[in-house]
Amino acid sequence: MSTTHCALVTGATQGIGLAIATRLAEAGHDVVLHGIEPLSEGQAVAHALAQRTGQQTTYVPADLRDPQAASALWAQAAKALRTPDILVNNAGIQHTCPVQDFPTERWDAILAINLSAAFMTMRSAVPAMRAQGWGRIVNIASVHGLVASVNKTAYLAAKHGLVGLSKGVALETATDGITVNCICPGWTDTPIIAPQIEARAQALGGNRDAAIRDLLREKQPNQTLLPPGRIGDVAVFLCSDAAAGITGVSLPVDGGWTAQ
Ligand SMILES: NC(=O)c1ccc[n+]([C@@H]2O[C@H](COP(=O)([O-])OP(=O)(O)OC[C@H]3O[C@@H](n4cnc5c(N)ncnc54)[C@H](O)[C@@H]3O)[C@@H](O)[C@H]2O)c1
């Protein structure tokens, strides 16, 4: 029988984060879901997952723009359920805009949530994982951690930064039974891409399906929006014993985007 671990998943009440939390619970792990919703809303999501899977779950809220909240999140999760030994840094935001018009406030928020918060949670997690001689860290980067697109400078800086940060932590923990890896998704069917679909739809006379086809044709050779569960499946694999020898890797799950 496989071991039950405890995972902290950031940004876990919707989208890719919820899919990862769901797959981890389905794989037999307990899960602390993090989000920005009020306690009662987040707990309802956690409770529904516990009902479906029989695993222990709970919810902790924190605005990861706040460095103190990000630094405290690991301890908050440990207090809410038990000390996690899996950390998934998934929370992230996007803002598209040409560099000369990019608002400083959006730059700061993207760097804080998509990059600095992952540094702070890993800084908290590593000593506990090291002490127990086992840990898994999965950071949700993006194809934009590997290649660029226009109008995404802050997101590119944060996701390229996350890829580098993860390699560094992977090397520092390589002899400790800890692995640190990134997943780099392409276009995935979640709320974060809605503004980009809407902008493309407007340019194409309001047709949403045509907008999605157009975005995919431009970048993603499999011509299909990824279901969030695909990312969840890969996260579960990276947390499994089968992946014990994989660390410091940034794995594209992108329908061929970065093969071009
Ligand atoms: N959907 C895609 O096409 C795609 C592609 C590549 C990478 N990603 C990455 O996947 C991750 C999850 O995104 P998603 O696609 O599920 O989008 P999403 O918008 O559904 O989820 C984003 C999550 O970030 C959390 N978040 C937002 N603001 C926050 C804040 N201030 N403090 C704490 N948490 C906050 C939200 O609670 C939410 O759960 C992100 O890191 C994103 O960059 C998504």
Side-chain angles (χ1 to χ4, degrees), residues 10-18 34-37 62-66 89-94 109 113-114 140-144 155 159 162 183-193 196 225 228 231:
T10 70
T13 56
Q14 64 177 52
I16 291 172
L18 179 57
H34 153 269
I36 47 175
E37 292 80 6
D63 187 336
L64 296 179
R65 285 172 300 182
D66 173 4
N89 283 302
N90 164 78
I93 58 169
Q94 172 65 288
I113 297 165
N114 298 22
I140 306 307
S142 166
V143 286
H144 290 111
Y155 193 79
K159 295 298 191 182
L162 186 57
I183 300 174
C184 297
W187 290 117
T188 308
D189 195 3
T190 75
I192 206 173
I193 65 172
Q196 295 176 74
L225 281 184
I231 314 301

Short mmCIF file of all heavy atoms in Angstrom, two decimals, residues 10-18 34-37 62-66 89-94 109 113-114 140-144 155 159 162 183-193 196 225 228 231, ligand 1:
data_model
loop_
_atom_site.label_atom_id
_atom_site.label_comp_id
_atom_site.label_asym_id
_atom_site.label_seq_id
_atom_site.Cartn_x
_atom_site.Cartn_y
_atom_site.Cartn_z
N THR A 10 -1.12 25.65 -3.51
CA THR A 10 -1.57 27.06 -3.53
C THR A 10 -2.48 27.29 -4.74
O THR A 10 -2.36 26.64 -5.77
CB THR A 10 -0.38 28.04 -3.56
OG1 THR A 10 0.27 27.97 -4.84
CG2 THR A 10 0.61 27.77 -2.44
N GLY A 11 -3.40 28.23 -4.56
CA GLY A 11 -4.35 28.54 -5.63
C GLY A 11 -5.18 27.33 -6.02
O GLY A 11 -5.40 27.05 -7.20
N ALA A 12 -5.71 26.63 -4.98
CA ALA A 12 -6.26 25.29 -5.21
C ALA A 12 -7.78 25.23 -5.28
O ALA A 12 -8.35 24.14 -5.35
CB ALA A 12 -5.77 24.35 -4.11
N THR A 13 -8.46 26.37 -5.31
CA THR A 13 -9.92 26.31 -5.31
C THR A 13 -10.52 26.32 -6.71
O THR A 13 -11.74 26.21 -6.87
CB THR A 13 -10.52 27.50 -4.51
OG1 THR A 13 -10.00 28.71 -5.08
CG2 THR A 13 -10.14 27.42 -3.04
N GLN A 14 -9.69 26.46 -7.72
CA GLN A 14 -10.19 26.45 -9.11
C GLN A 14 -9.06 26.09 -10.06
O GLN A 14 -7.90 26.00 -9.65
CB GLN A 14 -10.75 27.83 -9.48
CG GLN A 14 -9.69 28.93 -9.47
CD GLN A 14 -10.24 30.29 -9.91
OE1 GLN A 14 -11.24 30.75 -9.38
NE2 GLN A 14 -9.60 30.92 -10.89
N GLY A 15 -9.41 25.89 -11.31
CA GLY A 15 -8.42 25.75 -12.37
C GLY A 15 -7.43 24.61 -12.15
O GLY A 15 -7.78 23.52 -11.65
N ILE A 16 -6.19 24.86 -12.51
CA ILE A 16 -5.14 23.84 -12.43
C ILE A 16 -4.91 23.42 -10.98
O ILE A 16 -4.71 22.24 -10.69
CB ILE A 16 -3.83 24.36 -13.09
CG1 ILE A 16 -4.02 24.50 -14.61
CG2 ILE A 16 -2.66 23.45 -12.76
CD1 ILE A 16 -2.86 25.18 -15.34
N GLY A 17 -4.94 24.38 -10.05
CA GLY A 17 -4.70 24.05 -8.65
C GLY A 17 -5.71 23.08 -8.10
O GLY A 17 -5.37 22.13 -7.38
N LEU A 18 -6.98 23.30 -8.43
CA LEU A 18 -8.03 22.37 -7.97
C LEU A 18 -7.85 21.00 -8.61
O LEU A 18 -8.03 19.97 -7.95
CB LEU A 18 -9.42 22.94 -8.29
CG LEU A 18 -10.61 22.06 -7.87
CD1 LEU A 18 -10.59 21.73 -6.37
CD2 LEU A 18 -11.93 22.73 -8.24
N HIS A 34 -5.05 25.98 -0.57
CA HIS A 34 -4.92 27.42 -0.30
C HIS A 34 -5.70 28.19 -1.37
O HIS A 34 -5.83 27.74 -2.51
CB HIS A 34 -3.44 27.85 -0.35
CG HIS A 34 -3.29 29.30 -0.74
ND1 HIS A 34 -3.14 29.72 -2.04
CD2 HIS A 34 -3.35 30.43 0.01
CE1 HIS A 34 -3.08 31.04 -2.08
NE2 HIS A 34 -3.21 31.49 -0.85
N GLY A 35 -6.22 29.37 -0.95
CA GLY A 35 -6.89 30.23 -1.92
C GLY A 35 -7.07 31.63 -1.36
O GLY A 35 -6.54 31.96 -0.29
N ILE A 36 -7.82 32.45 -2.09
CA ILE A 36 -8.07 33.83 -1.62
C ILE A 36 -9.54 34.05 -1.27
O ILE A 36 -9.93 35.14 -0.91
CB ILE A 36 -7.61 34.88 -2.66
CG1 ILE A 36 -8.10 34.54 -4.07
CG2 ILE A 36 -6.09 35.01 -2.64
CD1 ILE A 36 -7.77 35.60 -5.11
N GLU A 37 -10.33 33.00 -1.36
CA GLU A 37 -11.74 33.10 -0.98
C GLU A 37 -11.85 33.14 0.55
O GLU A 37 -10.96 32.67 1.25
CB GLU A 37 -12.53 31.89 -1.50
CG GLU A 37 -12.68 31.82 -3.00
CD GLU A 37 -11.45 31.26 -3.70
OE1 GLU A 37 -10.51 30.82 -2.99
OE2 GLU A 37 -11.41 31.28 -4.93
N ALA A 62 -4.92 33.05 2.06
CA ALA A 62 -3.79 33.98 2.20
C ALA A 62 -3.64 34.74 0.89
O ALA A 62 -3.67 34.14 -0.19
CB ALA A 62 -2.50 33.24 2.51
N ASP A 63 -3.46 36.06 1.00
CA ASP A 63 -3.17 36.86 -0.18
C ASP A 63 -1.66 36.86 -0.39
O ASP A 63 -0.91 37.46 0.41
CB ASP A 63 -3.69 38.30 0.02
CG ASP A 63 -3.55 39.13 -1.25
OD1 ASP A 63 -2.68 38.79 -2.10
OD2 ASP A 63 -4.30 40.10 -1.41
N LEU A 64 -1.20 36.19 -1.42
CA LEU A 64 0.23 35.98 -1.61
C LEU A 64 0.95 37.21 -2.19
O LEU A 64 2.15 37.17 -2.41
CB LEU A 64 0.47 34.75 -2.49
CG LEU A 64 0.00 33.42 -1.86
CD1 LEU A 64 0.25 32.25 -2.80
CD2 LEU A 64 0.68 33.17 -0.51
N ARG A 65 0.20 38.31 -2.36
CA ARG A 65 0.91 39.58 -2.65
C ARG A 65 1.63 40.06 -1.40
O ARG A 65 2.54 40.87 -1.47
CB ARG A 65 -0.09 40.66 -3.11
CG ARG A 65 -0.59 40.46 -4.54
CD ARG A 65 -1.69 41.43 -4.87
NE ARG A 65 -2.84 41.25 -3.97
CZ ARG A 65 -3.97 41.94 -4.05
NH1 ARG A 65 -4.12 42.86 -4.98
NH2 ARG A 65 -4.96 41.70 -3.21
N ASP A 66 1.20 39.57 -0.25
CA ASP A 66 1.76 39.99 1.04
C ASP A 66 2.89 39.04 1.44
O ASP A 66 2.63 37.87 1.73
CB ASP A 66 0.62 39.98 2.08
CG ASP A 66 1.12 40.23 3.49
OD1 ASP A 66 2.33 40.49 3.67
OD2 ASP A 66 0.29 40.14 4.42
N ASN A 89 3.42 24.87 -5.66
CA ASN A 89 3.25 26.31 -5.86
C ASN A 89 2.55 26.51 -7.20
O ASN A 89 3.18 26.42 -8.26
CB ASN A 89 4.61 27.01 -5.86
CG ASN A 89 5.15 27.17 -4.47
OD1 ASN A 89 4.51 27.78 -3.61
ND2 ASN A 89 6.33 26.62 -4.21
N ASN A 90 1.26 26.75 -7.13
CA ASN A 90 0.45 26.86 -8.35
C ASN A 90 -0.14 28.25 -8.54
O ASN A 90 -0.39 28.66 -9.68
CB ASN A 90 -0.66 25.82 -8.29
CG ASN A 90 -1.76 26.10 -9.29
OD1 ASN A 90 -1.61 25.82 -10.48
ND2 ASN A 90 -2.87 26.70 -8.83
N ALA A 91 -0.38 29.00 -7.45
CA ALA A 91 -1.06 30.30 -7.57
C ALA A 91 -0.33 31.19 -8.57
O ALA A 91 0.90 31.25 -8.58
CB ALA A 91 -1.11 30.98 -6.20
N GLY A 92 -1.10 31.86 -9.40
CA GLY A 92 -0.47 32.74 -10.39
C GLY A 92 -1.50 33.63 -11.04
O GLY A 92 -2.69 33.29 -11.10
N ILE A 93 -1.03 34.79 -11.48
CA ILE A 93 -1.91 35.72 -12.22
C ILE A 93 -1.19 36.14 -13.50
O ILE A 93 0.01 35.94 -13.65
CB ILE A 93 -2.28 36.97 -11.38
CG1 ILE A 93 -1.01 37.72 -10.93
CG2 ILE A 93 -3.13 36.56 -10.17
CD1 ILE A 93 -1.30 39.09 -10.33
N GLN A 94 -1.97 36.73 -14.39
CA GLN A 94 -1.45 37.15 -15.69
C GLN A 94 -1.93 38.58 -15.97
O GLN A 94 -3.00 38.98 -15.50
CB GLN A 94 -1.98 36.19 -16.77
CG GLN A 94 -1.72 36.54 -18.21
CD GLN A 94 -0.24 36.52 -18.57
OE1 GLN A 94 0.52 37.39 -18.17
NE2 GLN A 94 0.16 35.52 -19.35
N ALA A 109 2.60 42.76 -8.51
CA ALA A 109 1.70 41.67 -8.09
C ALA A 109 2.09 40.36 -8.76
O ALA A 109 2.11 39.30 -8.12
CB ALA A 109 0.25 42.04 -8.44
N ILE A 113 3.22 37.12 -6.54
CA ILE A 113 2.41 35.89 -6.47
C ILE A 113 3.10 34.74 -7.23
O ILE A 113 3.20 33.62 -6.73
CB ILE A 113 1.00 36.14 -7.03
CG1 ILE A 113 0.27 37.19 -6.19
CG2 ILE A 113 0.20 34.84 -7.10
CD1 ILE A 113 -0.97 37.76 -6.85
N ASN A 114 3.58 35.03 -8.45
CA ASN A 114 4.07 33.95 -9.32
C ASN A 114 5.50 33.52 -8.99
O ASN A 114 5.91 32.43 -9.38
CB ASN A 114 4.04 34.40 -10.79
CG ASN A 114 2.65 34.72 -11.31
OD1 ASN A 114 1.74 35.00 -10.55
ND2 ASN A 114 2.49 34.72 -12.62
N ILE A 140 4.35 25.24 -10.56
CA ILE A 140 3.66 25.37 -11.85
C ILE A 140 4.18 26.63 -12.53
O ILE A 140 3.80 27.75 -12.18
CB ILE A 140 2.12 25.42 -11.66
CG1 ILE A 140 1.64 24.20 -10.85
CG2 ILE A 140 1.45 25.46 -13.04
CD1 ILE A 140 2.09 22.83 -11.38
N ALA A 141 5.11 26.41 -13.46
CA ALA A 141 5.66 27.52 -14.25
C ALA A 141 4.76 27.69 -15.47
O ALA A 141 3.54 27.88 -15.32
CB ALA A 141 7.11 27.24 -14.60
N SER A 142 5.31 27.58 -16.65
CA SER A 142 4.54 27.80 -17.88
C SER A 142 5.49 27.58 -19.05
O SER A 142 6.72 27.63 -18.87
CB SER A 142 4.04 29.26 -17.91
OG SER A 142 3.57 29.61 -19.19
N VAL A 143 4.93 27.39 -20.23
CA VAL A 143 5.79 27.50 -21.42
C VAL A 143 6.52 28.84 -21.39
O VAL A 143 7.65 28.96 -21.90
CB VAL A 143 5.00 27.38 -22.75
CG1 VAL A 143 4.57 25.95 -23.00
CG2 VAL A 143 3.80 28.32 -22.78
N HIS A 144 5.89 29.84 -20.77
CA HIS A 144 6.52 31.17 -20.70
C HIS A 144 7.64 31.23 -19.64
O HIS A 144 8.19 32.31 -19.41
CB HIS A 144 5.44 32.24 -20.50
CG HIS A 144 4.62 32.42 -21.74
ND1 HIS A 144 3.29 32.05 -21.81
CD2 HIS A 144 4.95 32.87 -22.98
CE1 HIS A 144 2.85 32.27 -23.05
NE2 HIS A 144 3.82 32.76 -23.76
N TYR A 155 5.01 38.37 -16.57
CA TYR A 155 4.76 36.92 -16.47
C TYR A 155 6.01 36.14 -16.91
O TYR A 155 6.41 35.16 -16.27
CB TYR A 155 3.56 36.59 -17.36
CG TYR A 155 2.94 35.22 -17.17
CD1 TYR A 155 2.09 34.95 -16.11
CD2 TYR A 155 3.20 34.20 -18.09
CE1 TYR A 155 1.50 33.69 -15.96
CE2 TYR A 155 2.61 32.95 -17.96
CZ TYR A 155 1.76 32.70 -16.89
OH TYR A 155 1.17 31.45 -16.75
N LYS A 159 8.01 33.64 -14.54
CA LYS A 159 8.04 32.20 -14.84
C LYS A 159 9.46 31.74 -15.20
O LYS A 159 9.86 30.64 -14.81
CB LYS A 159 7.05 31.87 -15.96
CG LYS A 159 5.58 32.10 -15.58
CD LYS A 159 5.11 31.24 -14.42
CE LYS A 159 3.60 31.30 -14.24
NZ LYS A 159 3.13 30.51 -13.09
N LEU A 162 11.04 31.47 -11.90
CA LEU A 162 10.60 30.28 -11.16
C LEU A 162 11.36 29.04 -11.63
O LEU A 162 11.72 28.18 -10.82
CB LEU A 162 9.08 30.10 -11.34
CG LEU A 162 8.41 29.00 -10.54
CD1 LEU A 162 8.62 29.16 -9.04
CD2 LEU A 162 6.90 28.97 -10.85
N ILE A 183 6.41 22.18 -13.71
CA ILE A 183 5.58 21.79 -14.86
C ILE A 183 5.34 23.06 -15.66
O ILE A 183 5.04 24.12 -15.08
CB ILE A 183 4.24 21.16 -14.41
CG1 ILE A 183 4.50 19.91 -13.56
CG2 ILE A 183 3.38 20.82 -15.63
CD1 ILE A 183 3.23 19.30 -12.96
N CYS A 184 5.48 22.96 -16.98
CA CYS A 184 5.35 24.13 -17.85
C CYS A 184 4.18 23.94 -18.80
O CYS A 184 4.36 23.46 -19.94
CB CYS A 184 6.65 24.34 -18.62
SG CYS A 184 8.06 24.68 -17.55
N PRO A 185 2.97 24.29 -18.36
CA PRO A 185 1.80 24.06 -19.22
C PRO A 185 1.74 25.05 -20.39
O PRO A 185 2.18 26.19 -20.29
CB PRO A 185 0.60 24.32 -18.29
CG PRO A 185 1.15 24.33 -16.89
CD PRO A 185 2.57 24.79 -17.03
N GLY A 186 1.15 24.55 -21.49
CA GLY A 186 0.70 25.43 -22.57
C GLY A 186 -0.72 25.88 -22.27
O GLY A 186 -1.18 25.81 -21.12
N TRP A 187 -1.44 26.32 -23.31
CA TRP A 187 -2.83 26.78 -23.13
C TRP A 187 -3.65 25.70 -22.42
O TRP A 187 -3.83 24.61 -22.95
CB TRP A 187 -3.50 27.08 -24.46
CG TRP A 187 -3.03 28.28 -25.23
CD1 TRP A 187 -2.44 28.25 -26.47
CD2 TRP A 187 -3.15 29.66 -24.87
NE1 TRP A 187 -2.17 29.54 -26.88
CE2 TRP A 187 -2.60 30.42 -25.93
CE3 TRP A 187 -3.66 30.33 -23.76
CZ2 TRP A 187 -2.54 31.81 -25.90
CZ3 TRP A 187 -3.61 31.72 -23.73
CH2 TRP A 187 -3.06 32.44 -24.79
N THR A 188 -4.16 26.03 -21.24
CA THR A 188 -4.95 25.09 -20.44
C THR A 188 -6.29 25.75 -20.13
O THR A 188 -6.36 26.96 -19.89
CB THR A 188 -4.19 24.75 -19.14
OG1 THR A 188 -2.86 24.32 -19.49
CG2 THR A 188 -4.87 23.65 -18.36
N ASP A 189 -7.32 24.95 -20.12
CA ASP A 189 -8.70 25.47 -20.06
C ASP A 189 -9.07 25.91 -18.65
O ASP A 189 -9.67 25.14 -17.89
CB ASP A 189 -9.64 24.36 -20.55
CG ASP A 189 -11.01 24.92 -20.87
OD1 ASP A 189 -11.20 26.14 -20.77
OD2 ASP A 189 -11.89 24.10 -21.22
N THR A 190 -8.70 27.14 -18.27
CA THR A 190 -8.99 27.68 -16.94
C THR A 190 -9.34 29.16 -17.06
O THR A 190 -9.09 29.78 -18.10
CB THR A 190 -7.78 27.55 -15.99
OG1 THR A 190 -6.82 28.55 -16.36
CG2 THR A 190 -7.13 26.18 -16.03
N PRO A 191 -9.82 29.77 -15.96
CA PRO A 191 -10.21 31.19 -16.03
C PRO A 191 -9.09 32.15 -16.37
O PRO A 191 -9.35 33.24 -16.89
CB PRO A 191 -10.73 31.47 -14.60
CG PRO A 191 -11.18 30.14 -14.08
CD PRO A 191 -10.25 29.13 -14.69
N ILE A 192 -7.82 31.79 -16.11
CA ILE A 192 -6.74 32.76 -16.31
C ILE A 192 -6.62 33.20 -17.78
O ILE A 192 -6.16 34.30 -18.06
CB ILE A 192 -5.39 32.20 -15.79
CG1 ILE A 192 -4.42 33.32 -15.40
CG2 ILE A 192 -4.73 31.28 -16.80
CD1 ILE A 192 -3.13 32.85 -14.72
N ILE A 193 -7.04 32.35 -18.71
CA ILE A 193 -6.86 32.69 -20.13
C ILE A 193 -8.09 33.39 -20.72
O ILE A 193 -8.05 33.81 -21.87
CB ILE A 193 -6.47 31.46 -20.99
CG1 ILE A 193 -7.59 30.41 -21.02
CG2 ILE A 193 -5.17 30.83 -20.49
CD1 ILE A 193 -7.31 29.28 -22.02
N GLN A 196 -7.62 36.77 -22.50
CA GLN A 196 -6.90 36.66 -23.78
C GLN A 196 -7.82 36.10 -24.86
O GLN A 196 -7.75 36.50 -26.02
CB GLN A 196 -5.66 35.78 -23.62
CG GLN A 196 -4.64 36.41 -22.68
CD GLN A 196 -3.45 35.50 -22.42
OE1 GLN A 196 -2.61 35.34 -23.30
NE2 GLN A 196 -3.38 34.91 -21.24
N LEU A 225 -7.01 22.82 -26.28
CA LEU A 225 -6.82 23.35 -24.92
C LEU A 225 -6.62 22.16 -23.99
O LEU A 225 -7.39 21.20 -24.03
CB LEU A 225 -8.06 24.11 -24.45
CG LEU A 225 -8.30 25.54 -24.94
CD1 LEU A 225 -9.54 26.11 -24.26
CD2 LEU A 225 -7.10 26.44 -24.71
N PRO A 228 -7.32 20.78 -17.31
CA PRO A 228 -6.47 20.95 -16.13
C PRO A 228 -6.04 19.63 -15.49
O PRO A 228 -4.95 19.53 -14.93
CB PRO A 228 -7.35 21.75 -15.17
CG PRO A 228 -8.35 22.43 -16.04
CD PRO A 228 -8.56 21.57 -17.24
N ILE A 231 -2.54 18.34 -16.11
CA ILE A 231 -1.46 18.89 -15.30
C ILE A 231 -1.47 18.19 -13.93
O ILE A 231 -0.41 17.88 -13.37
CB ILE A 231 -1.62 20.43 -15.13
CG1 ILE A 231 -1.93 21.11 -16.48
CG2 ILE A 231 -0.37 21.02 -14.48
CD1 ILE A 231 -0.91 20.92 -17.56
N1 LIG B 1 -4.25 28.14 -17.90
C1 LIG B 1 -3.15 28.21 -18.62
O1 LIG B 1 -3.20 28.24 -19.86
C2 LIG B 1 -1.80 28.21 -17.94
C3 LIG B 1 -0.68 27.99 -18.74
C4 LIG B 1 0.58 27.97 -18.14
C5 LIG B 1 0.71 28.17 -16.78
N2 LIG B 1 -0.41 28.39 -16.02
C6 LIG B 1 -0.20 28.61 -14.59
O2 LIG B 1 -1.02 27.75 -13.86
C7 LIG B 1 -1.25 28.29 -12.57
C8 LIG B 1 -2.72 28.18 -12.23
O3 LIG B 1 -3.46 29.01 -13.10
P1 LIG B 1 -4.88 28.59 -13.70
O4 LIG B 1 -4.68 28.44 -15.15
O5 LIG B 1 -5.47 27.48 -12.94
O6 LIG B 1 -5.68 29.96 -13.49
P2 LIG B 1 -6.75 30.39 -12.40
O7 LIG B 1 -6.94 31.85 -12.60
O8 LIG B 1 -7.91 29.50 -12.47
O9 LIG B 1 -6.02 30.12 -11.01
C9 LIG B 1 -5.11 31.03 -10.44
C10 LIG B 1 -5.04 30.77 -8.96
O10 LIG B 1 -4.19 31.77 -8.37
C11 LIG B 1 -4.76 32.19 -7.15
N3 LIG B 1 -4.46 33.59 -6.88
C12 LIG B 1 -4.80 34.67 -7.63
N4 LIG B 1 -4.46 35.81 -6.97
C13 LIG B 1 -3.90 35.44 -5.79
C14 LIG B 1 -3.38 36.14 -4.68
N5 LIG B 1 -3.36 37.49 -4.64
N6 LIG B 1 -2.90 35.44 -3.64
C15 LIG B 1 -2.94 34.08 -3.65
N7 LIG B 1 -3.42 33.35 -4.67
C16 LIG B 1 -3.90 34.03 -5.73
C17 LIG B 1 -6.27 32.03 -7.31
O11 LIG B 1 -6.81 31.74 -6.05
C18 LIG B 1 -6.41 30.88 -8.28
O12 LIG B 1 -6.70 29.70 -7.60
C19 LIG B 1 -0.72 29.73 -12.62
O13 LIG B 1 0.54 29.78 -11.98
C20 LIG B 1 -0.59 29.98 -14.10
O14 LIG B 1 0.39 30.96 -14.38
C21 LIG B 1 -1.65 28.41 -16.57
#
